[in-house]
Amino acid sequence: DTAVSQTPKYLVTQMGNDKSIKCEQNLGHDTMYWYKQDSKKFLKIMFSYNNKELIINETVPNRFSPKSPDKAHLNLHINSLELGDSAVYFCASNQNGQGMGGYTFGSGTRLTVV
Amino acid sequence: DAKTTQPPSMDCAEGRAANLPCNHSTISGNEYVYWYRQIHSQGPQYIIHGLKNNETNEMASLIITEDRKSSTLILPHATLRDTAVYYCIVYAGGTSYGKLTFGQGTILTVHP
């Protein structure tokens, strides 16, 4: 069983489109995250949810809107996609909101905007 | 969270120990040292973490100096599958709410 699963794995779309990436974890963790890895391979946190509550919202354009219907799911919706949004997006989860212990990451969604 | 400094790249022969250093001279007393790795095209993988004492698990050992200003991750018998980018992160938890700050890491290449 995959602990943190993301769909889709690859996403190619045109500028201006709206797309969603889904994430699910079956670990019973309380906290979920979205990280972005750009072309220079830097990993940066975007959002964090603890028990469906938004905890961290980094300086991310408001075109990005996370949604957590329950603590096992965290989806990322992106409006009006731009070329600069092309990156690999990783979902992660952690047992508690303090972030202690290890994170479990998904395998990533490679988004390409053309 | 404190910054860390790692060498950009290292090589290791298969079967030998890989020792990856990390400097964290401004670490605070409540900050842990975490190590993650990212194998090409995969998500980061948690390896180990520690506060003061040396730690060992099935993947690696973590040696933290007495002054806690540096640490070394040891892969005792490196294999080709250990080729990855290794990230050293210091993190206190609490109000950071899981905001891990990844640096550039060390690219470890294990060769036959």
Side-chain angles (χ1 to χ4, degrees):
Chain A
D1 281 345
T2 304
V4 179
S5 59
Q6 297 179 227
T7 53
K9 188 168 175 66
Y10 299 97
L11 184 54
V12 181
T13 188
Q14 290 187 327
M15 284 175 55
N17 284 349
D18 303 338
K19 290 294 178 185
S20 292
I21 307 172
K22 295 186 176 182
C23 178
E24 176 181 3
Q25 54 97 1
N26 62 5
L27 298 166
H29 286 172
D30 287 339
T31 313
M32 297 184 72
Y33 311 83
W34 279 111
Y35 276 78
K36 177 182 179 180
Q37 188 166 40
D38 60 24
S39 57
K40 294 183 179 177
K41 304 295 185 185
F42 283 109
L43 267 162
K44 287 192 67 175
I45 192 167
M46 300 174 69
F47 301 104
S48 163
Y49 269 77
N50 186 49
N51 272 322
K52 303 192 296 175
E53 181 185 351
L54 180 65
I55 301 296
I56 294 174
N57 183 350
E58 289 293 287
T59 50
V60 178
N62 58 15
R63 298 181 295 104
F64 291 79
S65 53
K67 292 276 193 306
S68 182
D70 55 61
K71 78 172 192 178
H73 296 83
L74 180 61
N75 304 322
L76 183 64
H77 188 77
I78 315 171
N79 289 326
S80 304
L81 278 154
E82 301 178 356
L83 293 176
D85 298 331
S86 295
V88 183
Y89 293 84
F90 290 101
C91 178
S93 72
N94 180 264
Q95 189 167 13
N96 59 55
Q98 303 297 306
M100 302 307 291
Y103 281 46
T104 303
F105 282 81
S107 57
T109 296
R110 183 173 295 275
L111 171 66
T112 304
V113 182
V114 296
Chain B
D1 292 335
K3 289 186 177 179
T4 61
T5 304
Q6 299 177 252
S9 63
M10 294 183 66
D11 286 338
C12 178
E14 190 176 21
R16 305 297 292 268
N19 298 300
L20 291 93
C22 179
N23 285 323
H24 30 80
S25 57
T26 59
I27 192 169
S28 301
N30 62 342
E31 289 181 315
Y32 287 74
V33 179
Y34 279 78
W35 283 84
Y36 283 79
R37 72 180 182 183
Q38 188 173 22
I39 296 170
H40 181 63
S41 298
Q42 297 182 22
Q45 178 188 24
Y46 164 78
I47 301 173
I48 199 168
H49 74 281
L51 182 64
K52 294 181 183 177
N53 300 322
N54 298 337
E55 302 287 344
T56 295
N57 62 20
E58 65 277 5
M59 290 182 68
S61 294
L62 174 60
I63 309 296
I64 302 173
T65 58
E66 194 167 341
D67 63 9
R68 303 210 324 123
K69 293 185 177 182
S70 65
S71 60
T72 301
L73 179 74
I74 300 173
L75 307 177
H77 306 286
T79 71
L80 299 178
R81 286 175 294 182
D82 291 322
T83 293
V85 181
Y86 287 78
Y87 297 99
C88 169
I89 300 166
V90 292
Y91 176 72
T95 56
S96 295
Y97 283 107
K99 183 181 171 182
L100 294 180
T101 302
F102 287 83
Q104 288 190 291
T106 295
I107 301 172
L108 175 68
T109 304
V110 181
H111 51 83

